[in-house]
Amino acid sequence: GAVVSQHPSRVICKSGTSVKIECRSLDFQATTMFWYRQFPKQSLMLMATSNEGSKATYEQGVEKDKFLINHASLTLSTLTVTSAHPEDSSFYICSAVVGGHGYTFGSGTRLTVV
Amino acid sequence: AQSVTQPDIHITVSEGASLELRCNYSYGATPYLFWYVQSPGQGLQLLLKYFSGDTLVQGIKGFEAEFKRSQSSFNLRKPSVHWSDAAEYFCAVGGDTGNQFYFGTGTSLTVIP
């Protein structure tokens, strides 16, 4: 149980276009989701926290107008990278809070901007 | 300040040898501790977690970790490493439900035949 499905797993897009990444909780309601970014050979860095029905909370240095997060339902949170540039190429991963003290991660999205 | 330190950036072990990956944390409240593994190009897989109770925690794939509050450590161990264990390992600390994780920088494990 407690599975988060993240799509797409890999995406290549042209510079200047936008890309949407979805994280969907399959068998539970995810009130809170976290979005992380991972550069090659580095650890995961929290980008933002999304709560269902309210605005996301962004970490310092993360451009909220560039990385749009929507958490409109208890089972779906989306991250849209707007006007993507090559420096946005990275591994993006979401996690959801499950029940008492559980957390589960999506499988990640490898974004390449060309 | 909350933080996680994994002192070893890269470790190489022979197949069949024992393994210990170090993790030290700093957290202002009761810590919930986790170890995750990430294979190349893949997402994160939870190996084990500690919330409370027995300080020696058993996880999947034969891994275990021991929580030592006095040393603020949560080291990961495996008695006999397999070639398939080669991956990146992340230690993480979190608080109550709804709080974010703080990840260490990871330890890259290479297993040689």
Side-chain angles (χ1 to χ4, degrees), chain A residues 76-95:
Chain A
L76 177 64
S77 178
T78 61
L79 167 67
T80 301
V81 182
T82 63
S83 186
H85 288 94
E87 57 265 31
D88 299 324
S89 298
S90 190
F91 186 76
Y92 296 86
I93 193 166
C94 63
S95 75

Side-chain angles (χ1 to χ4, degrees), chain B residues 3-82:
Chain B
S3 67
V4 177
T5 302
Q6 293 180 248
D8 305 304
I9 297 173
H10 186 237
I11 285 182
T12 300
V13 298
S14 298
E15 190 168 16
S18 63
L19 171 71
E20 181 169 29
L21 302 182
R22 295 183 290 166
C23 173
N24 293 95
Y25 68 90
S26 173
Y27 198 75
T30 301
Y32 299 105
L33 296 156
F34 307 81
W35 274 100
Y36 287 89
V37 61
Q38 184 181 36
S39 297
Q42 302 297 311
L44 294 174
Q45 182 181 25
L46 178 66
L47 285 177
L48 47 79
K49 59 188 177 185
Y50 171 78
F51 290 155
S52 64
D54 192 346
T55 56
L56 184 62
V57 181
Q58 302 297 321
I60 62 172
K61 302 184 179 184
F63 285 93
E64 67 177 25
E66 186 171 12
F67 171 57
K68 293 185 178 180
R69 185 184 298 274
S70 61
Q71 298 177 20
S72 297
S73 69
F74 189 57
N75 294 348
L76 181 72
R77 300 193 293 251
K78 186 170 184 177
S80 179
V81 171
H82 188 262

Side-chain angles (χ1 to χ4, degrees), chain A residues 10 32 34 36 38 41-44 46 49 59 91 93 95 97-103 105-108 110, chain B residues 32 34 36 38 40-44 46 49 51 88 90 94-106:
Chain A
R10 298 177 188 275
T32 301
F34 303 99
Y36 293 85
Q38 183 184 35
K41 306 294 185 182
Q42 296 187 29
S43 186
L44 294 91
L46 180 69
T49 303
E59 295 300 299
F91 186 76
I93 193 166
S95 75
V97 176
V98 181
H101 300 290
Y103 303 81
F105 282 83
S107 55
R110 175 76 57 193
Chain B
Y32 299 105
F34 307 81
Y36 287 89
Q38 184 181 36
Q42 302 297 311
L44 294 174
L46 178 66
K49 59 188 177 185
F51 290 155
E88 190 85 16
F90 292 97
D96 290 339
T97 302
N99 288 7
Q100 65 169 94
F101 283 102
Y102 294 90
F103 282 89
T105 50

